[in-house]
Amino acid sequence: MSAVPVQAAGSTWTVRPSQAGDESQLAALFAAVFGQPMTEAQWRWKLCSQPSPVPNSWVAEAGGRITGHYGGMPMRYRLDGCEVLVMHGCNAMTAADSRRQGILSAVHGRANEVWKQAGIPFQTGLHYGGWGSRREFLGWVPLFKLVWVNQPLRPFRRAARRATLPGRPLQPLDALWREFWDRRLAMTRGDPRGVPVTIREVAEAGREFDILWAAAGRSYANVAVRDRAWVERRYFAAPDHGYRVLLAERGGAPAGYLVYRVGHIGTVSDTGWIADLFAAPEATAVRRALLRRALAELHAAGTESAVALVPAGSFLHRELRQAGFLFGRGDYDFSIVPFDPALPVDTLRDSARWFLTGGDFDVV
């Protein structure tokens, strides 16, 4: 696909698909723009490891230097029973000395044009106030809110640290807090047939995930395909992320899974990020058993809190609140750029028809 020269503000740059050899510049640009490190291996995993029928990563280049980028992670979604390929927009960035020249609009606009011509029905994205008027200009339509929820695992230690007080005398209070919520999760009614839920950690994505997807995936109107291939690429193949995957089984059959990792918010607070929690809608006991195991492991690892991203008002939001998750800081507009004019945008605004977690995006 040919490069497109663009003239603006007295300078010229070229918009083209990214190519092998760009990773070093792109990883460095990411670190400069977002203030977070990214290795070349992480870049290739994120934007080059999924099959795509069209270029999914676009750069602005001037004199051999990459000054801007816009990308899309190809993802399979099941929408009302039909599987479609969509793009999740990500890594929108412009070098600090090249801003206000229209670079983001140029690379994003070129991506929109090519993806629409390829028959991709829409792209997804998470947006916050920093996008401003560019969001509407580039075709984004907000659907509903995704919110962070937070389960304090050591609330008294955290409060003592913030007040610069010694936290050791408060350890018994943190233990009582953890015991209360652990018992609350354990009290959930199980299978009416009396079949217990068992949890085990898995080291690879086996056929259990295909079986689970076939059984539970059909229960959701709109959902990213969560089969064996997805779990393998998204979590097990992710370099340097350290995801741990817990599989729930009932009667010898896979019934759900939970994915988490330990990370940091800022420089002081160890946090457990719950990336995914998938089971059939009616499998409340399965989700609670998975949460109980994950929270126990995160507490044993010394973390102060567990966080998750869910659609506001969804059944998963309600269940996490009942499990002791409080309102977290910040939210996103879950938005799409519709490419197919027949796309039922008004229907897609109904968050109850979606199953979404942080793992469907690039924020965890």
Side-chain angles (χ1 to χ4, degrees):
M1 190 164 292
S2 60
V4 178
V6 180
Q7 178 80 36
S11 62
T12 302
W13 68 85
T14 297
V15 175
R16 62 167 175 81
S18 64
Q19 58 195 22
D22 288 340
E23 295 90 350
S24 177
Q25 284 198 63
L26 288 168
L29 181 61
F30 183 95
V33 170
F34 296 107
Q36 300 176 12
M38 172 174 276
T39 66
E40 294 181 32
Q42 288 171 334
W43 183 276
R44 285 190 291 268
W45 164 78
K46 186 174 183 179
L47 286 162
C48 306
S49 63
Q50 278 282 81
S52 177
V54 290
N56 63 299
S57 175
W58 294 84
V59 302
E61 181 183 46
R65 177 187 173 223
I66 293 176
T67 58
H69 174 270
Y70 188 76
M73 296 166 55
M75 294 181 62
R76 293 176 296 142
Y77 270 81
R78 178 181 288 172
L79 302 179
D80 288 324
C82 298
E83 186 172 314
V84 297
L85 179 72
V86 305
M87 293 288 184
H88 170 55
C90 63
N91 291 17
M93 52 192 187
T94 306
D97 61 357
S98 300
R99 292 172 185 166
R100 299 189 179 278
Q101 298 180 23
I103 287 179
L104 177 58
S105 297
V107 290
H108 192 306
R110 180 60 173 152
N112 282 355
E113 178 185 1
V114 172
W115 296 344
K116 181 177 182 178
Q117 291 175 351
I120 292 171
F122 62 93
Q123 68 163 308
T124 64
L126 295 183
H127 294 110
Y128 52 93
W131 276 74
S133 61
R134 284 180 300 173
R135 180 169 66 174
E136 184 177 352
F137 174 77
L138 292 167
W140 287 101
V141 177
L143 298 183
F144 49 83
K145 293 286 188 183
L146 269 72
V147 296
W148 290 106
V149 290
N150 169 35
Q151 160 69 283
L153 301 179
R154 287 181 168 83
F156 297 97
R157 187 180 80 175
R158 170 175 285 188
R161 176 173 53 75
R162 290 180 174 177
T164 65
L165 298 173
R168 186 173 296 276
L170 300 178
Q171 287 180 354
L173 294 177
D174 280 329
L176 288 173
W177 170 270
R178 190 68 246 127
E179 182 180 357
F180 170 80
W181 286 109
D182 185 69
R183 289 186 176 184
R184 180 81 176 264
L185 288 169
M187 289 171 61
T188 306
R189 291 181 179 271
D191 190 301
R193 299 166 296 174
V195 181
V197 177
T198 60
I199 310 293
R200 63 184 174 95
E201 183 175 353
V202 294
E204 61 182 1
R207 62 185 298 269
E208 300 94 340
F209 292 93
D210 280 338
I211 296 171
L212 174 62
W213 169 248
R218 69 186 68 175
S219 301
Y220 298 100
N222 304 324
V223 58
V225 173
R226 283 167 158 76
D227 58 7
R228 177 181 185 176
W230 161 256
V231 174
E232 176 63 35
R233 194 209 72 85
R234 178 62 180 87
Y235 301 116
F236 289 106
D240 308 317
H241 281 76
Y243 292 112
R244 302 186 69 172
V245 181
L246 304 178
L247 178 68
E249 295 170 304
R250 191 161 51 186
Y257 71 83
L258 182 149
V259 182
Y260 76 87
R261 69 179 179 88
V262 175
H264 298 270
I265 293 180
T267 59
V268 292
S269 180
D270 286 328
T271 301
W273 301 84
I274 296 178
D276 208 349
L277 175 56
F278 180 68
E282 68 276 8
T284 300
V286 172
R287 282 185 292 275
R288 289 218 165 183
L290 285 163
L291 279 171
R292 187 184 183 203
R293 170 72 174 268
L295 293 175
E297 292 186 0
L298 286 168
H299 185 264
T303 57
E304 289 188 352
S305 65
V307 298
L309 185 68
V310 291
S314 64
F315 83 91
L316 191 55
H317 188 195
R318 293 191 296 271
E319 286 192 8
L320 289 174
R321 294 280 289 127
Q322 292 166 4
F325 283 74
L326 309 176
F327 295 108
R329 291 184 177 181
D331 57 40
Y332 297 101
D333 286 327
F334 174 57
S335 306
I336 64 170
V337 177
F339 299 135
D340 182 352
L343 199 68
V345 175
D346 288 340
T347 301
L348 295 177
R349 294 183 191 274
D350 183 1
S351 63
R353 294 177 57 81
W354 288 84
F355 181 85
L356 295 167
T357 64
D360 294 319
F361 310 101
D362 61 344
V363 293
V364 294

